[in-house]
Amino acid sequence: MNKQIDFLKLRHAATVLSVTLILVSIIALAVRGLNFGLDFTGGTLLEVEYQQPVPVKTIEAVLVDAGYRDVAVQNFGSETDVLVRMSEAFRDDLGAEILALLQQQSADNPIVLKRSEFVGSSVGEELRDQGGLALLLALAVVMIYVAARFQYKFSVAAVLALFHDVIVILGMFALFQWDFNLTVLAALLAVIGYSLNDTIVVADRIRENFRIVRRGSEIDVINESLNQTLGRTLMTSITTALVLLALLVVGGDLIHYFAVALMIGVVVGTYSSVFVATNILIWMKISREDLMPPEVEEVDDRP
């Protein structure tokens, strides 16, 4: 076999790195917690339209100085459309009050209130609970699928690798207190699909090589499989990262953290497919016998 890169030579260092990332993520989640956005916590959402563009930072400063809490302002669709989110309790005259305040700050720039609505905390809690159940259900379905297609050791490795990816992303959002909203939750589900696809490609090549390669240890076979899928893994990761980079630069505030979560997921998911999943397979002592097709017993039907 022609090994190009000895990936598994770094498996002990990768183990230390993964354990460190998971511990830091768990501590960040326990100590700081997630900074849930309006989708989960409840509050007021307003959409206003300016005749001329106004910097969102200027609008946010005016509202914060006026005493409104947890204000987030972003452009919505165009530079003149502005979305204002705050944890202020909704009331009938709140929209008119905000409109008058902003109009006072931009007297020569007419403003129109296009939308004013309330997101209740009970709705936010329901969304949070259902989102968590969706993540757990996705992991359970993945475990069943991989076990049926490959073997239960691959199933455990794939699910633990996905769990690793999700925990690291959540830990990063907790550590830096980035806004965690429904778009980030959607990104987590997308990361599960992306990382699983990468892991399945590697697992399929490992299974194939275990069946056709007769020389070398299990580590040699897994290393060869990783080298054979390296080109595909890198091309997929790089092209996806380029698209996400474009979203980060020109996508606007509305999907900023969605792109951030996906970017982290692409990096961590690629790493976990190469190091985490294969490392777990070695710990579980994967062998050729685990992957050889069952022998079919011949039935003697002679009288």
Side-chain angles (χ1 to χ4, degrees):
M1 293 189 297
N2 297 321
K3 291 189 297 181
Q4 296 143 3
I5 302 175
D6 189 358
F7 288 102
L8 297 184
K9 184 179 181 180
L10 303 173
R11 66 183 184 277
H12 300 301
T15 301
V16 173
L17 176 60
S18 294
V19 170
T20 302
L21 287 174
I22 290 175
L23 287 177
V24 170
S25 298
I26 292 174
I27 292 172
L29 287 168
V31 174
R32 308 197 69 180
L34 290 172
N35 180 24
F36 288 108
L38 182 65
D39 298 330
F40 297 108
T41 60
T44 300
L45 183 147
L46 304 168
E47 183 182 349
V48 297
E49 182 180 11
Y50 283 82
Q51 187 173 16
Q52 300 295 329
V54 176
V56 293
K57 295 298 183 183
T58 301
I59 301 173
E60 184 174 325
V62 170
L63 296 175
V64 170
D65 291 341
Y68 295 103
R69 298 175 292 112
D70 300 326
V71 177
V73 183
Q74 60 195 54
N75 289 115
F76 184 70
S78 68
E79 293 183 351
T80 56
D81 287 323
V82 175
L83 197 66
V84 178
R85 297 182 296 173
M86 61 181 69
S87 59
E88 190 79 15
F90 183 82
R91 56 183 188 274
D92 292 337
D93 60 343
L94 181 60
E97 180 181 307
I98 296 294
L99 188 65
L101 179 64
L102 295 178
Q103 189 66 78
Q104 182 180 1
Q105 183 263 339
S106 302
D108 56 345
N109 191 358
I111 311 173
V112 177
L113 179 64
K114 300 180 67 176
R115 180 163 52 125
S116 176
E117 61 187 45
F118 173 70
V119 178
S121 59
S122 60
V123 175
E125 291 175 1
E126 182 180 354
L127 290 172
R128 183 177 57 199
D129 294 342
Q130 289 180 350
L133 288 175
L135 285 175
L136 293 176
L137 180 61
L139 292 175
V141 170
V142 166
M143 194 166 190
I144 295 171
Y145 165 73
V146 178
R149 178 173 175 180
F150 295 95
Q151 201 257 0
Y152 81 93
K153 292 181 181 179
F154 281 93
S155 176
V156 173
V159 169
L160 289 179
L162 293 178
F163 179 78
H164 167 278
D165 300 343
V166 171
I167 287 295
V168 170
I169 296 173
L170 290 175
M172 294 288 285
F173 271 79
L175 184 63
F176 295 105
Q177 287 295 286
W178 291 329
D179 190 23
F180 188 91
N181 51 37
L182 281 178
T183 63
V184 177
L185 181 60
L188 286 177
L189 293 172
V191 167
I192 289 178
Y194 175 88
S195 184
L196 174 64
N197 178 65
D198 213 15
T199 303
I200 290 297
V201 171
V202 174
D204 194 52
R205 185 55 59 91
I206 291 174
R207 178 179 63 176
E208 180 182 349
N209 283 339
F210 266 127
R211 291 178 175 179
I212 64 176
V213 177
R214 299 303 179 187
R215 295 179 300 167
S217 65
E218 285 76 11
I219 291 179
D220 294 331
V221 174
I222 293 175
N223 256 328
E224 180 68 14
S225 304
L226 290 173
N227 278 281
Q228 290 173 355
T229 57
L230 180 62
R232 180 263 177 203
T233 299
L234 289 178
M235 286 302 298
T236 302
S237 300
I238 291 172
T239 52
T240 306
L242 288 175
V243 173
L244 294 174
L245 184 61
L247 288 177
L248 282 171
V249 174
V250 300
D253 293 335
L254 193 61
I255 60 172
H256 177 75
Y257 289 116
F258 171 81
V260 168
L262 279 178
M263 182 67 82
I264 298 172
V266 168
V267 175
V268 178
T270 303
Y271 161 81
S272 69
S273 298
V274 174
F275 291 104
V276 178
T278 54
N279 219 347
I280 294 171
L281 287 175
I282 294 173
W283 288 342
M284 298 183 71
K285 301 186 183 305
I286 191 72
S287 64
R288 289 181 174 82
E289 289 72 20
D290 293 328
L291 298 171
M292 295 301 292
E295 295 182 1
V296 179
E297 296 184 2
E298 294 184 2
V299 178
D300 188 357
D301 57 354
R302 291 179 297 178

